[in-house]
């Protein structure tokens, strides 16, 4: 059993120490935002924030998370209505196509903007290594700049 917080709720999760966080989130907690894509930390579909860092939950063992703070796409702080600034920018730019990869992109963006509030295109390309098979990269870049603008005014 591991004691941690998920989306700001203290919780004990039962399971083997080597169980990947992704499966604990999806199967035990019913948080289906983080997706399974590659399982080897390459695609980014499973990304969540672990103590504020964008982290591929498919390779993080439960046993390493005692006392950690995990935030999924479902738990991003809302600023207006139900959406975070990043999520609202995604809606405004109509980013998703199939949508499968998008939670991971929004998590990675949230972490990027926390440390680099006004990223350049080069900084975005370097920081956001997620994969989108639908090729929504141009809209993602616009959404990141839109979110950065909104955050600078908040
Ligand atoms: S499923 Fe975790 S990075 Fe692809
Ligand atoms: S929107 Fe379909 S994989 Fe990215």
């Amino acid at each position: 059993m591991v004691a941690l917080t998920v989306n700001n709720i203290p919780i004990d999760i039962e399971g083997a120490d080597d169980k990947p966080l992704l499966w604990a989130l999806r199967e035990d907690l019913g948080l289906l935002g983080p997706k399974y894509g590659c399982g080897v930390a390459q695609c980014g579909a499973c990304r969540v924030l672990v103590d504020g860092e964008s982290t591929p939950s498919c390779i993080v063992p439960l046993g390493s998370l005692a006392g950690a703070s995990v935030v999924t796409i479902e738990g991003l702080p809302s600023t207006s209505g139900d959406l975070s600034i990043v999520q609202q920018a995604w809606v405004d730019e109509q980013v998703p196509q199939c949508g499968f990869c998008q939670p991971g992109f929004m998590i990675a963006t949230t972490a990027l903007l926390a440390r680099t509030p006004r990223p350049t295109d080069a900084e975005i390309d370097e920081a956001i290594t997620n994969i989108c098979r639908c090729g929504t990269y141009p809209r993602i870049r616009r959404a990141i700049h839109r979110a950065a603008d909104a955050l600078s005014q908040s």
Side-chain angles (χ1 to χ4, degrees), residues 7-93:
N7 297 337
N8 291 319
I9 299 172
I11 194 162
D12 297 332
I13 302 180
E14 301 284 349
D17 280 356
D18 62 353
K19 181 174 185 172
L21 172 62
L22 176 61
W23 299 121
L25 294 171
R26 291 181 59 85
E27 295 177 346
D28 300 333
L29 304 182
L31 294 167
L32 302 180
K35 299 294 192 289
Y36 177 77
C38 64
V40 290
Q42 294 297 305
C43 72
C46 66
R47 283 188 176 272
V48 299
L49 300 176
V50 177
D51 295 331
E53 294 293 325
S54 173
T55 303
S57 62
C58 65
I59 62 160
V60 175
L62 262 185
S64 71
L65 292 169
S69 170
V70 173
V71 176
T72 71
I73 189 72
E74 292 91 344
L76 289 182
S78 63
T79 48
S80 63
D82 293 329
L83 301 178
S84 73
I85 281 178
V86 170
Q87 289 167 319
Q88 186 62 56
W90 248 245
V91 172
D92 292 341
E93 292 292 342

Side-chain angles (χ1 to χ4, degrees), residues 97-102 132-134 136:
Q97 188 164 318
C98 80
F100 189 86
C101 69
Q102 300 296 332
C132 173
R133 293 194 62 147
C134 297
T136 62

Side-chain angles (χ1 to χ4, degrees), residues 92-153:
D92 292 341
E93 292 292 342
Q94 299 185 39
V95 172
Q97 188 164 318
C98 80
F100 189 86
C101 69
Q102 300 296 332
F105 273 100
M106 286 183 273
I107 288 290
T109 296
T110 299
L112 168 63
L113 294 179
R115 65 177 185 274
T116 308
R118 301 302 295 248
T120 64
D121 286 346
E123 287 170 328
I124 290 171
D125 291 346
E126 183 178 351
I128 309 292
T129 58
N130 302 39
I131 294 171
C132 173
R133 293 194 62 147
C134 297
T136 62
Y137 301 106
R139 295 200 295 273
I140 287 169
R141 182 181 284 182
R142 288 201 299 273
I144 293 172
H145 287 303
R146 179 186 281 264
D149 288 343
L151 282 166
S152 73
Q153 295 163 15

